[in-house]
Amino acid sequence: MMQTPELYASRADPHTVATFRALVDAIVPYTPELAAYGAEQPIGAVQQHVHEYMIWSLDHTLTLVLDYYPEIVPLAAPTAGLLNAGAAQLVASGQAKYAAQGAIAGSPVPFAALSPADRIRTMAILEKLQIDLGLLPPPYRDDGGLVKFIIDYLNRGTMFGNYSEWPGYGTTRLNTPTRRRLEFFPIGWRQTGYPGVSKGYRAVRGILMTIVREGGKSTIV
Amino acid sequence: MYDADVIVIGSGGGGAVAAKELGEAGLKVLVLEAGPFYGNKKWENPNSERGGEWSSSYDDLDVGIYKKIYTRYENNMNDVVSGTFRFGPADRRRTPWHRVMRQKGDIWQLAGVGGTTQHYWSQSPRAFPSAVDGVWPISYEELVPYYEKAEATLPVQFSPTAPKEELFYFAVQKAGWQKNPTLNVTKPGYRPNPNAILPPNPHLMDPKYPIDQLWNMDGCTMQGHCVNGCTAGSRVDTIAKRGTLVSYVPLALKTGNVAIRPNSFTIRILTEHDPKEGLRAAGVRFRDTWTGEIGELTAKAVVVAAGCIETPRLWFNSDLPFNSWVGRGLTNHCFDWVGGVFDEKDLMGIMGLPAVYPYMGHTSGARVDIPGIGIFQVSCLSPGLMAFLTYGFSEAGFDALKPPEPGAPWNIHGRVVGPALKELMMNYNRTMTYLLLTDDETLYRNRVEVDPILKDENGPIPVVHYVPSKKTLQRRDQLVKYSCESLKAAGAKAIIRSDTPFAFMLHLESTMRMGYVVDTNCEAYQVKRLFLADNSVHFNGIGGPNPTLTTQALATRTSEKLAQKYFA
């Protein structure tokens, strides 16, 4: 199961990659206007490859016995399909604020053709089930509970990928987890001012109260 | 002939306690655990190699192996898909074990020796007496000696004050809460958390002792990130945060009567018909998670401590007798999460410090208890976990797409995305966050069942369903109001209510309730010699306090009752 990022990425379908890039870009965008606060602040989730984190996670999250033996059920491509189906419905219903109908028509990745705000709006109509569930790809078709679950996951998963140390695994980021190695101090940690993991801090500011145990009984002092 | 006196299924918050107590009573105990055993010479590379089969010696424990695996990195440790801490097989190339949940949320449960206590924050309060007396089939008074024993064994101590606790005390005093120095909470007030964490190393504040040296001595080093795995200590059994992997498991092994088999998923409870006792437990069937081989073991009694989801799943998949309450009555403290962003000058005025330092000290070190409503506790996490819990995880949808509620005590409600998220995360170091734990009403409809179609290698998989009652939601709103008031009183410039999804499962309880599925000894009514020793036996959500200590007190009591009844 040795797996290089190149090998894994070469298997990923380009429409899925484009959709997930558009997703993580809407949640944690590139923000040149924040450069005044530090050179690292503009960097967004796409620059940190967080779309790859999301694709890898969704493709390694589910095993079911479908026929005679357990099989991995990849979820990245169907989830990209869900976002694209949602985008098409947003545009068709006239709810998209910025996209012209023409820009979306015929696009294999309508979600990526939308403005960031309309991508968020797409997720909002999906999680509120203000869509035709029958037009979604399996396993989401006619399963509103699963749609709610996954839309929420797409948001928190992107944030966890971006602000945890995952991007710091660099060239090993898509290896099997035990073979990932931290190659640089994670940018998300620099952006937040988190100093990294620690062996200890001289941070005791006081003790408010203490439990004293004698003869099987506790008293508080 | 039997393979053991007692088989214990699961080695988490409850199972490890049962193993230790039964071993000390002189019984021969075998423990089956689905996940890996970290910090043990029999499994030097537990996530990539099969290693040994059983560990039965205290000398197998190895703090070097433990510290190598517990890297403290939040994604490596706590990624629910691929992390060191997850509900899945030891082999991290494989996927986690799936549970069906058709609603927003997530389940934080871990497989492995120590179970979910490997990443718990170790809050160890007792139940609110008002949630037990006249409600449970046993009294609070009946529990007290077992609380005392579990508290002394772990041991439990009040948290020291780190900067975030100092700010929290300032905030809640400003909001009018009184100090409440007690373990038996009968009125509202604030106090440090009773946590299962060793007191700070007495030399911690002495610069003559380098931090590297203190990290290899005994006592808390305030390293933060309890949730990402504690690593302060000289031996496995003196690690500062007292998850059962480092507390009850070493004590169990020390008895010489306990053997633990990790990587072994129990798939069936075996029963027999006894002419006098009727249906009774006689053993278990399990699956080796590395080889897929099936094994069976027999014993005179079985203790199930597989957790609030797997325990009812095992009941269903073992075809045990029908009971309409098996898997029913799930409670979860219907959490919320509230944060406040502070200005540097305000923090300087309050503490003489420019930041909250959310990464220092216990993950959670102080609380306000409000019997009848719940609890809010200061709780601060590393940035990846903080980002998703504060800004990415919500029942309410996206903040930017909703008009602000008139008169709401918060500035932000729900998810924050785009440039606004990045600006808020730049203030991570000056943000204090609270976890809110609601006194959750027990409802029959909230449940764990098994899917009629979907299966994994261990059988039909669990389905979890949880929708809180109106009363629970009213209490939760009240806790949010109190939380926001205290943040505002302390001068927070922005207040965020994340509106956490109801099914963020951290404190699952009461799916095999005492009085419905088990008797007051926690023995199943319908299957003799089958005892339960996890959160599932709680009659309710104990009023809101974190449930682990109550499970540990009950597991201590259940072990005593089991030994008296069948081995006297």
Side-chain angles (χ1 to χ4, degrees):
Chain A
M1 292 285 280
M2 274 295 286
Q3 198 174 52
T4 65
E6 293 71 27
L7 248 179
Y8 183 72
S10 72
R11 292 211 317 260
D13 146 51
H15 294 159
T16 300
V17 174
T19 307
F20 276 92
R21 278 178 71 106
L23 169 78
V24 306
D25 175 60
I27 295 169
V28 190
Y30 177 67
T31 49
E33 69 275 17
L34 294 180
Y37 299 97
E40 71 281 2
Q41 295 298 348
I43 296 168
V46 170
Q47 292 74 44
Q48 298 221 67
H49 307 284
V50 175
H51 50 291
E52 293 177 4
Y53 169 76
M54 295 302 290
I55 293 169
W56 191 95
S57 298
L58 285 163
D59 281 348
H60 292 79
T61 195
L62 180 60
T63 298
L64 293 172
V65 176
L66 297 174
D67 297 311
Y68 302 104
Y69 50 86
E71 293 173 69
I72 292 180
V73 181
L75 287 176
T79 304
L82 169 72
L83 292 172
N84 285 312
Q89 292 198 36
L90 183 88
V91 172
S93 65
Q95 294 178 72
K97 290 269 155 63
Y98 305 108
Q101 182 87 31
I104 307 297
S107 168
V109 281
F111 184 76
L114 294 175
S115 70
D118 281 334
R119 286 175 231 155
I120 298 300
R121 229 168 258 123
T122 300
M123 286 196 279
I125 63 164
L126 281 167
E127 77 174 338
K128 286 189 270 185
L129 307 186
Q130 294 167 348
I131 33 122
D132 184 344
L133 289 164
L135 297 179
L136 302 178
Y140 302 107
R141 186 177 300 152
D142 299 321
D143 193 342
L146 190 56
V147 172
K148 289 181 187 177
F149 175 89
I150 205 74
I151 294 296
D152 188 68
Y153 169 76
L154 294 176
N155 284 275
R156 61 188 159 90
T158 299
M159 292 184 199
F160 186 51
N162 188 77
Y163 285 107
S164 70
E165 86 281 6
W166 181 87
Y169 293 121
T171 61
T172 68
R173 65 185 179 272
L174 296 174
N175 285 358
T176 200
T178 51
R179 293 180 180 275
R180 295 174 191 169
R181 296 291 174 265
L182 207 64
E183 294 180 345
F184 51 87
F185 192 83
I187 289 162
W189 287 3
R190 272 168 49 205
Q191 290 174 329
T192 56
Y194 176 64
V197 302
S198 164
K199 290 179 176 172
Y201 291 107
R202 301 188 201 278
V204 179
R205 309 271 294 174
I207 303 278
L208 198 62
M209 52 184 89
T210 303
I211 305 169
V212 178
R213 293 190 178 86
E214 271 166 330
K217 292 265 185 251
S218 300
T219 49
I220 314 296
V221 296
Chain B
M1 274 306 291
Y2 295 93
D3 295 305
D5 291 324
V6 185
I7 292 169
V8 178
I9 301 166
S11 63
V17 175
K20 177 258 186 192
E21 295 293 333
L22 295 166
E24 282 187 353
L27 305 184
K28 295 291 176 194
V29 180
L30 298 177
V31 181
L32 295 177
E33 165 56 50
F37 199 149
Y38 295 140
N40 189 305
K41 289 172 195 156
K42 297 282 183 75
W43 297 274
E44 287 212 21
N45 297 297
N47 296 125
S48 52
E49 290 167 13
R50 188 184 166 198
E53 268 188 3
W54 290 92
S55 176
S56 56
S57 167
Y58 170 83
D59 295 328
D60 289 344
L61 302 178
D62 185 314
V63 77
I65 296 171
Y66 174 95
K67 289 195 182 189
K68 204 174 102 192
I69 295 165
Y70 272 50
T71 63
R72 296 161 283 154
Y73 284 90
E74 55 181 332
N75 195 284
N76 178 54
M77 298 309 292
N78 265 313
D79 192 297
V80 290
V81 174
S82 67
T84 306
F85 295 159
R86 62 171 188 166
F87 186 69
D91 184 350
R92 289 175 70 192
R93 293 172 304 184
R94 292 171 50 193
T95 72
W97 290 310
H98 189 60
R99 280 81 174 268
V100 177
M101 205 158 66
R102 287 192 167 86
Q103 62 187 116
K104 294 182 199 180
D106 208 356
I107 302 169
W108 271 14
Q109 279 189 327
L110 314 185
V113 176
T116 310
T117 70
Q118 293 183 93
H119 86 163
Y120 86 150
W121 309 349
S122 81
Q123 277 78 76
S124 301
R126 300 178 181 183
F128 287 154
S130 56
V132 176
D133 281 328
V135 183
W136 282 47
I138 58 173
S139 69
Y140 185 79
E141 200 54 38
E142 167 73 29
L143 284 169
V144 168
Y146 301 101
Y147 276 137
E148 293 278 0
K149 188 175 183 188
E151 286 164 351
T153 304
L154 284 162
V156 174
Q157 186 51 270
F158 282 125
S159 297
T161 307
K164 60 188 165 62
E165 281 76 28
E166 189 171 341
L167 180 60
F168 180 80
Y169 293 138
F170 176 83
V172 299
Q173 282 168 359
K174 276 260 183 188
W177 299 98
Q178 303 290 312
K179 185 155 75 174
N180 194 14
T182 186
L183 296 172
N184 304 307
V185 176
T186 54
K187 59 176 192 201
Y190 72 87
R191 55 178 179 148
N193 283 338
N195 279 350
I197 298 180
L198 299 181
N201 184 308
H203 304 295
L204 182 64
M205 302 305 282
D206 181 351
K208 289 203 292 287
Y209 286 80
I211 292 290
D212 271 13
Q213 183 185 347
L214 292 160
W215 186 63
N216 286 313
M217 294 166 68
D218 296 335
C220 178
T221 61
M222 308 291 275
Q223 66 179 202
H225 55 67
C226 306
V227 65
N228 296 322
C230 178
T231 56
S234 67
R235 305 192 309 258
V236 168
D237 60 338
T238 60
I239 289 289
K241 192 195 81 178
R242 312 296 295 154
T244 57
L245 172 60
V246 304
S247 56
Y248 278 94
V249 164
L251 291 171
L253 292 173
K254 269 186 180 170
T255 66
N257 289 325
V258 177
I260 302 173
R261 195 184 201 281
N263 308 315
S264 304
F265 201 113
T266 302
I267 52 177
R268 192 174 182 87
I269 294 163
L270 305 175
T271 53
E272 63 187 12
H273 251 286
D274 179 76
K276 272 197 261 164
E277 291 180 24
L279 187 69
R280 66 183 191 187
V284 301
R285 179 180 301 159
F286 65 94
R287 189 177 173 283
D288 184 305
T289 66
W290 285 98
T291 67
E293 291 170 301
I294 304 291
E296 289 193 348
L297 291 166
T298 57
K300 294 178 207 158
V302 174
V303 175
V304 187
C308 271
I309 297 175
E310 296 302 321
T311 294
R313 178 197 190 188
L314 190 52
W315 182 288
F316 291 127
N317 289 351
S318 301
D319 300 316
L320 297 183
F322 175 78
N323 177 318
S324 61
W325 278 92
V326 168
R328 294 282 176 161
L330 170 66
T331 59
N332 183 48
H333 293 165
C334 198
F335 300 96
D336 210 331
W337 184 260
V338 171
V341 184
F342 289 82
D343 276 350
E344 183 176 320
K345 74 168 173 32
D346 293 333
L347 294 172
M348 285 303 289
I350 296 166
M351 301 191 287
L353 294 171
V356 174
Y357 302 103
Y359 46 83
M360 291 184 188
H362 295 187
T363 288
S364 178
R367 62 180 44 224
V368 169
D369 300 290
I370 313 159
I373 305 282
I375 294 111
F376 59 94
Q377 57 175 45
V378 58
S379 305
C380 295
L381 303 166
S382 45
L385 294 170
M386 183 273 194
F388 105 60
L389 268 171
T390 313
Y391 302 118
F393 197 28
S394 182
E395 204 67 57
F398 296 96
D399 174 67
L401 297 183
K402 289 189 320 293
E405 299 90 341
W410 49 75
N411 312 95
I412 295 170
H413 185 195
R415 289 190 212 104
V416 182
V417 294
L421 169 68
K422 292 184 74 177
E423 285 172 40
L424 283 162
M425 285 307 293
M426 280 170 26
N427 294 305
Y428 163 75
N429 220 343
R430 284 182 284 103
T431 306
M432 175 164 68
T433 42
Y434 298 172
L435 179 70
L436 284 52
L437 300 75
T438 310
D439 179 359
D440 188 9
E441 208 178 8
T442 314
L443 301 174
Y444 182 75
R445 69 164 183 243
N446 288 331
R447 63 189 183 269
V448 174
E449 54 197 351
V450 291
D451 197 281
I453 299 163
L454 299 178
K455 282 191 287 190
D456 67 11
E457 68 273 26
N458 302 311
I461 63 176
V463 182
V464 181
H465 173 90
Y466 172 79
V467 178
S469 72
K470 196 182 269 182
K471 196 188 275 178
T472 291
L473 291 176
Q474 283 166 353
R475 291 169 180 158
R476 181 175 180 262
D477 284 344
Q478 190 63 40
L479 286 172
V480 173
K481 190 171 149 277
Y482 289 142
S483 300
C484 294
E485 277 169 10
S486 72
L487 287 164
K488 197 173 169 64
K493 289 295 176 284
I495 295 174
I496 304 104
R497 178 191 189 178
S498 71
D499 212 329
T500 305
F502 306 142
F504 183 31
M505 298 278 157
L506 299 180
H507 292 174
L508 303 104
E509 288 172 271
S510 57
T511 54
M512 305 285 274
R513 304 171 74 190
M514 186 190 290
Y516 291 85
V517 180
V518 296
D519 65 16
T520 55
N521 294 341
C522 296
E523 184 177 13
Y525 285 121
Q526 292 154 295
V527 187
K528 294 296 134 196
R529 297 172 183 261
L530 181 66
F531 290 79
L532 307 190
D534 55 33
N535 286 3
S536 69
V537 295
H538 295 192
F539 184 84
N540 57 12
I542 70 172
N546 322 59
T548 307
L549 182 78
T550 298
T551 286
Q552 295 179 322
L554 274 172
T556 305
R557 182 176 174 274
T558 300
S559 302
E560 188 183 292
K561 305 285 184 194
L562 185 161
Q564 279 168 4
K565 184 167 177 188
Y566 291 112
F567 297 93

